Amino acid sequence: WNKRHADAGYHSVQAFFRRCAGVILQFHTHPGVVRDLCQVAAALVLDSRSMWNTAVFRLPRDFDPGASEAALPEPTLLLHNRRLRTQRHNLHTVADPFLFVHQGVLYLFVEEKRSFQKGLISGYKTRDLERWEYLGEVLSEPHHLSYPFVFAVDDTVYMLPESGESGRVTLYEAEEFPLRWRPRAVVLDEAYVDSSIHRRGEQYWLL
């Protein structure tokens, strides 16, 4: 297990990652999203052509996170990069999925990269894991963005995307969640990538 963050400080959401051949899972425990649902997972799934795709799984209450990839059910949402390229103009890749629950709605934030352009952050939302609404672009900058790590402290929602191309790690605050964000602070004035926040008690750790 590679534990990236736990107890995100919002509605008792707990997230962690598991890596195995062909799949990276991010589990969220949040029974309030869907009745009788214990776990929702976002994943990067490697297809037969060695291409990573984004999927969201609805998992049974007794799902064993240590189980093999074959134990996963069919995804409720599959963002297949090869198919998306024919559906959306200039779209090249969707990756780095992050789940976040806000006011009873499950959001999926992803890196979206279009051909010959920098990566940006886009989003989806659902109330039942069956019907997903594409929100489009939620955050972009002149430099590349990916790895949209979203978390909350009290009633304020933050995003810590990967922005290594800018030479710094910048924290964003939601002005109007989920579509408007503003830079809140430069956390590190160096080019780090894929930064995560881990809360332990009243302390926050940058990993």
Side-chain angles (χ1 to χ4, degrees), residues 94-150:
V94 174
D96 289 354
F98 277 84
L99 296 169
F100 184 75
V101 178
H102 184 64
Q103 297 180 351
V105 178
L106 179 65
Y107 291 86
L108 173 69
F109 294 95
V110 296
E111 170 201 353
E112 186 173 297
K113 190 176 185 305
R114 296 162 189 171
S115 299
F116 310 108
Q117 297 182 27
K118 308 291 186 183
L120 54 84
I121 307 304
S122 63
Y124 297 77
K125 71 176 183 179
T126 183
R127 291 183 178 274
D128 57 11
L129 289 178
E130 300 296 333
R131 295 175 294 274
W132 291 84
E133 178 183 347
Y134 176 56
L135 303 175
E137 175 185 319
V138 301
L139 178 62
S140 65
E141 293 284 12
H143 52 266
H144 177 82
L145 293 176
S146 60
Y147 198 80
F149 187 97
V150 182

Side-chain angles (χ1 to χ4, degrees), residues 3-177:
K3 190 171 184 179
R4 291 291 184 88
H5 62 293
D7 187 13
Y10 192 78
H11 286 204
S12 299
V13 174
Q14 293 186 336
F16 51 91
F17 290 76
R18 178 170 68 88
R19 292 175 181 266
C20 63
V23 63
I24 303 175
L25 293 181
Q26 176 194 19
F27 290 89
H28 280 243
T29 301
H30 197 290
V33 180
V34 179
R35 189 181 303 275
D36 297 327
L37 178 65
C38 184
Q39 297 185 97
V40 181
L44 287 174
V45 181
L46 193 65
D47 65 18
S48 60
R49 297 186 178 182
S50 298
M51 176 178 289
W52 288 105
N53 304 283
T54 296
V56 177
F57 297 93
R58 178 175 182 161
L59 302 175
R61 185 180 298 274
D62 58 353
F63 181 81
D64 177 11
S68 69
E69 180 183 351
L72 289 170
E74 289 296 314
T76 65
L77 174 68
L78 177 61
L79 303 177
H80 194 286
N81 282 319
R82 199 174 302 277
R83 294 173 187 167
L84 287 173
R85 290 173 187 175
T86 65
Q87 297 170 2
R88 295 186 199 161
H89 183 61
N90 287 339
L91 182 66
H92 183 270
T93 303
V94 174
D96 289 354
F98 277 84
L99 296 169
F100 184 75
V101 178
H102 184 64
Q103 297 180 351
V105 178
L106 179 65
Y107 291 86
L108 173 69
F109 294 95
V110 296
E111 170 201 353
E112 186 173 297
K113 190 176 185 305
R114 296 162 189 171
S115 299
F116 310 108
Q117 297 182 27
K118 308 291 186 183
L120 54 84
I121 307 304
S122 63
Y124 297 77
K125 71 176 183 179
T126 183
R127 291 183 178 274
D128 57 11
L129 289 178
E130 300 296 333
R131 295 175 294 274
W132 291 84
E133 178 183 347
Y134 176 56
L135 303 175
E137 175 185 319
V138 301
L139 178 62
S140 65
E141 293 284 12
H143 52 266
H144 177 82
L145 293 176
S146 60
Y147 198 80
F149 187 97
V150 182
F151 66 103
V153 179
D154 298 325
D155 294 327
T156 305
V157 184
Y158 299 95
M159 182 189 295
L160 191 69
E162 188 274 299
S163 55
E165 194 175 87
S166 71
R168 58 183 58 181
V169 178
T170 302
L171 178 69
Y172 292 81
E173 178 182 335
E175 288 187 311
E176 295 181 12
F177 182 86

